[in-house]
Amino acid sequence: MGSYRSGVVTLICHRAWLIAAFAVATMAAAHAEGCPQPSDAIATDRPDVTNSSIVVPVGSLQNENGVNLTGRDGGRSVDGTNSRWRLGIAPCLEVLVDLPNYFGSVKSPGASGFSDVAPAIKWQVSPLPGKIDLSITAGVALPTGAVGIAGRGAQPYIQLPWSWELHDGWGVSGMFTEFFRPAELTGQHMTETTFVLERKLTERISLFTEYVGDYPDGAVPTQLINSGGMYQLTPTQQLDFHVAFGLNRNSPSYIVGVGYSFRVDGLFR
């Protein structure tokens, strides 16, 4: 049984990275003029669960961080720093890594420990007709964290974030993600869907409301309404906050978080 699971993990990882390799090969023929530039304002994967459909510019390094307070089943926990590093390595192509995130119980019940480190590669397919942006992300959470927090074994995932600009500062976006946990005895597959309605109030201030649904195989889903906002201190720095509430008994009662992100340009000069 152990060798069978190992083979499944290897197969899934190979498929995920084959998709990533295909993205790299296709990018060689893509037109760079439609890709993000250092003159563009920062676009982050936080504070909503839905990641940005836009990659970072070539030669730019972006760091995104945050801290959350979560209430569930009468207990409270804090997690941070939710650090994600993103590096633009080619037009419309970036590599990223989620660093281990520490979860600490403030009030029992609740587990404590670090999550996994998770490298990935992201290719921006867009722009598509109608101001629709789309990206493909392929990554894998490596088994470096506590089992009670991160689960067992390597956990590959495939992700499709998209966004569509409307009129008068309005926009919609969403994300479809497939998570694979072949080393687990149950719940080896989970689908996550999100949908966001966003309004840009000024050049620096934006607000959003988001639906987040996690649907594991053979288990009750978790569903959240997540709302918050972003404030750009400068074109390359962002402050953010969010407040989420669970929609069913299997979900956290609430999540409150704040964050700070920045981008450094021109590293490949």
Side-chain angles (χ1 to χ4, degrees), residues 55-67:
V55 300
V56 297
V58 178
S60 295
L61 179 64
Q62 188 161 299
N63 178 221
E64 305 174 9
N65 308 277
V67 178

Side-chain angles (χ1 to χ4, degrees), residues 57-176:
V58 178
S60 295
L61 179 64
Q62 188 161 299
N63 178 221
E64 305 174 9
N65 308 277
V67 178
N68 295 314
L69 173 66
T70 302
R72 180 194 288 269
D73 299 329
R76 290 194 295 271
S77 63
V78 175
D79 63 272
T81 57
N82 295 296
S83 292
R84 168 170 287 189
W85 289 90
R86 303 168 59 189
L87 176 65
I89 59 173
C92 284
L93 187 69
E94 72 174 46
V95 292
L96 63 93
V97 60
D98 291 320
L99 299 183
N101 190 37
Y102 184 77
F103 290 78
S105 177
V106 177
K107 179 182 177 182
S108 297
S112 297
F114 284 96
S115 63
D116 294 339
V117 60
I121 189 165
K122 182 176 181 179
W123 171 40
Q124 183 179 330
V125 185
S126 63
L128 300 176
K131 296 184 179 179
I132 297 176
D133 289 305
L134 173 68
S135 291
I136 301 174
T137 305
V140 57
L142 304 176
T144 58
V147 173
I149 297 294
R152 303 177 185 275
Q155 300 176 25
Y157 69 91
I158 298 291
Q159 202 166 66
L160 298 172
W162 60 271
S163 62
W164 184 12
E165 293 184 9
L166 303 177
H167 301 286
D168 301 323
W170 289 94
V172 293
S173 59
M175 189 169 67
F176 179 83

Side-chain angles (χ1 to χ4, degrees), residues 151-203:
R152 303 177 185 275
Q155 300 176 25
Y157 69 91
I158 298 291
Q159 202 166 66
L160 298 172
W162 60 271
S163 62
W164 184 12
E165 293 184 9
L166 303 177
H167 301 286
D168 301 323
W170 289 94
V172 293
S173 59
M175 189 169 67
F176 179 83
T177 309
E178 293 289 336
F179 295 99
F180 304 94
R181 300 175 177 176
E184 296 288 350
L185 297 178
T186 59
Q188 295 183 343
H189 173 261
M190 184 179 75
T191 299
E192 180 178 80
T193 60
T194 69
F195 182 81
V196 183
L197 179 64
E198 184 175 346
R199 176 71 191 276
K200 192 171 185 178
L201 301 181
T202 69
E203 286 300 316

Side-chain angles (χ1 to χ4, degrees), residues 9-27:
V9 172
T10 302
L11 178 60
I12 293 175
C13 289
H14 283 174
R15 288 181 177 177
W17 290 109
L18 279 174
I19 292 176
F22 172 76
V24 174
T26 307
M27 280 308 304

